[in-house]
Amino acid sequence: MVSLYLCFLYSLVFTVSLYAGAAFGSTILASESGQQSLAQSALAEILQRGAPILGFDTGCSALNATCDWMAKIPDETELVHMSIPGTHDSSTWNYTQATQDTLLGYTGPIVPAEYFQCQEHSFFQMLNGGIRVFDLRVALNPGNGTIGFYHSQALLAPNTRIEDVLFGFYYWLDLHPTEAVLLFINYESGTGTQDTLAFQKQLYDILSSGLANRYWVQINGSLGTLGEARGKLTLLQRFDYNLLPTAPEYGKRIGIHLDPEDWHDNDPNITLVYNTINETQQVAYIEDYYEMDGLPLSAGAAENIQWKYNATIAHLQDAININLHPDQLYITFVSSEHDTDGETPRIMALGNGTDVPGVNQKILPWLQEQKGKRFGIVMLDFFDTVPGVVEAIIDA
């Protein structure tokens, strides 16, 4: 692992030179220690730039059941047969009203920050806490042409680029080679920025670079096995390449394409075919019922939370049913809101703080009763605020 890590760090020197425009390519390093020192400096600079999204890695004890939990699972296990916890709108953990107020010049007046924040721990804390699926919403950062992070109209960190955050994942995976991480990457259309040819080209180049070839699973159209995914990122593509030229240099695809047109908005039962080439179609069954639009405006927190809980459990019941679609992908979003009458993501997930429990509290005993069964991908808000939810999903 040490040699791979040094190789990774050495690659960073040259990659950073491309970003910064510096002429590292002609530099002759006097010794291996000199190479390592320069590479460590480059890595530190990148991680610092990514910190508003990544946070800082303080390490993870081997005694922690969520740290390297995939190590105990056989290589041949299909990813679609696993139970994998994830976080919805993962990048919002650092988004506060103070952050929003400093960015009004970019966004203009928008609804309060509490309606956009869905997490409260950094990416590194999520990784060490057992999270293996991240929901990234991206568009162009204003004014500098780089790709950054959003939740709807909310700009999260205008000086952090997606490349910086991906380096953070590469760094963590080198330290935890038994683990596999899946990334939803979703073009966020509500940002006021356009899905342009320049945006698609930039994202394509990032995901097909030499370093990406090393750290991303190169299988296309199927998720494959855990063994194939260990130490790597897997792409769950929620954006299109429809504006790219048809030239061969733009023809490479990785991961699975979850077509945005087929991902129906606010739907508790989405059936999305992502591969029709094989004899047996590969399908994602998705519950993404996030806004309780079937209820009257007078409905309160208890009723909204119950509706979301019902939709979530119904979908998870399908996921554990071995006679239904045992070899297909299940994705369940436990996350929700009801902003028309004041139910923020925090209230929906964690309750009102007094007499109404949230979806996370309500779902925990059900998960514990079904522990060890296949849940598929389970996307959470405020993932660890109710202790035991992640452990119940991963059977720790």
Side-chain angles (χ1 to χ4, degrees):
M1 187 181 80
V2 173
S3 61
L4 176 60
Y5 186 54
L6 287 174
C7 183
F8 164 65
L9 290 173
Y10 189 65
S11 299
L12 283 175
V13 175
F14 293 94
T15 306
V16 171
S17 74
L18 295 176
Y19 296 154
F24 280 114
S26 61
T27 301
I28 299 176
L29 300 178
S31 66
E32 184 175 289
S33 63
Q35 293 174 359
Q36 186 172 2
S37 176
L38 182 57
Q40 288 280 10
S41 176
L43 174 62
E45 179 183 342
I46 291 172
L47 294 180
Q48 181 66 42
R49 197 165 52 228
I53 301 295
L54 288 169
F56 296 96
D57 187 7
T58 58
C60 186
S61 169
L63 299 177
N64 188 334
T66 63
C67 187
D68 294 298
W69 63 268
M70 288 179 165
K72 67 181 182 181
I73 301 174
D75 277 352
E76 62 271 18
T77 306
E78 297 283 340
L79 290 178
V80 296
H81 293 161
M82 292 180 62
S83 300
I84 313 177
T87 49
H88 159 254
D89 264 301
S90 310
S91 309
T92 62
W93 70 274
N94 204 20
Y95 190 74
T96 64
Q97 192 59 50
T99 304
Q100 185 181 104
D101 292 344
T102 66
L103 298 173
L104 287 176
Y106 296 118
T107 65
I110 54 179
V111 301
E114 63 182 343
Y115 287 97
F116 296 109
Q117 186 182 13
C118 301
Q119 306 299 330
E120 57 188 3
H121 295 301
S122 73
F123 277 22
F124 283 132
Q125 289 173 314
M126 292 179 194
L127 286 164
N128 292 332
I131 295 300
R132 296 295 178 265
V133 188
F134 289 74
D135 176 22
L136 309 183
R137 314 292 178 96
V138 302
L140 290 174
N141 279 323
N144 61 26
T146 62
I147 295 175
F149 299 88
Y150 290 80
H151 179 189
S152 188
Q153 308 102 306
L155 173 64
L156 304 180
N159 296 314
T160 297
R161 311 168 306 180
I162 191 171
E163 300 100 311
D164 306 325
V165 171
L166 294 180
F167 275 122
F169 282 115
Y170 303 157
Y171 162 80
W172 189 87
L173 284 166
D174 269 349
L175 299 176
H176 303 271
T178 63
E179 305 308 287
V181 175
L182 292 74
L183 299 186
F184 283 107
I185 298 183
N186 182 14
Y187 165 68
E188 192 72 310
S189 60
T191 62
T193 67
Q194 298 299 310
D195 182 9
T196 63
L197 173 60
F199 169 80
Q200 292 188 14
K201 276 187 174 181
Q202 187 177 163
L203 193 50
Y204 180 89
D205 288 343
I206 291 168
L207 296 177
S208 58
S209 69
L211 200 55
N213 288 340
R214 183 187 306 163
Y215 283 97
W216 288 82
V217 174
Q218 299 297 300
I219 300 170
N220 175 232
S222 174
L223 291 183
T225 67
L226 176 59
E228 293 166 326
R230 289 194 200 276
K232 296 181 183 294
L233 300 175
T234 296
L235 178 62
L236 306 175
Q237 181 184 331
R238 292 187 61 188
F239 63 91
D240 288 323
Y241 281 135
N242 58 315
L243 301 178
L244 288 184
T246 57
E249 59 263 34
Y250 292 105
K252 182 179 179 180
R253 299 292 183 267
I254 60 174
I256 62 173
H257 183 214
L258 302 168
D259 194 323
E261 289 192 2
D262 295 330
W263 190 303
H264 304 140
D265 187 55
N266 199 31
D267 192 333
N269 290 294
I270 302 168
T271 300
L272 196 160
V273 178
Y274 61 88
N275 190 334
T276 59
I277 296 175
N278 298 338
E279 288 185 14
T280 303
Q281 289 185 337
Q282 290 179 281
V283 179
Y285 295 95
I286 306 163
E287 179 269 305
D288 191 16
Y289 183 44
Y290 63 87
E291 179 72 46
M292 306 301 101
D293 60 354
L295 284 169
L297 294 179
S298 59
E303 193 169 1
N304 280 296
I305 289 168
Q306 186 63 43
W307 270 47
K308 175 59 185 181
Y309 171 80
N310 292 343
T312 300
I313 293 299
H315 199 257
L316 288 171
Q317 289 279 15
D318 286 350
I320 67 174
N321 185 346
I322 62 173
N323 297 315
L324 194 57
H325 303 293
D327 299 318
Q328 303 291 7
L329 176 62
Y330 273 83
I331 305 168
T332 303
F333 281 80
V334 185
S335 52
S336 61
E337 64 174 12
H338 196 222
D339 55 10
T340 54
D341 64 355
E343 269 76 68
T344 64
R346 185 181 295 273
I347 290 173
M348 291 296 293
L350 306 177
N352 65 0
T354 55
D355 60 326
V356 178
V359 179
N360 289 13
Q361 286 105 330
K362 291 169 71 68
I363 200 175
L364 177 58
W366 186 91
L367 290 171
Q368 291 172 329
E369 289 173 4
Q370 306 297 330
K371 205 170 175 182
K373 297 181 180 177
R374 188 281 296 261
F375 299 131
I377 293 172
V378 183
M379 304 296 285
L380 303 160
D381 278 351
F382 304 100
F383 75 98
D384 70 341
T385 306
V386 177
V389 171
V390 169
E391 288 83 352
I393 293 171
I394 66 176
D395 193 18

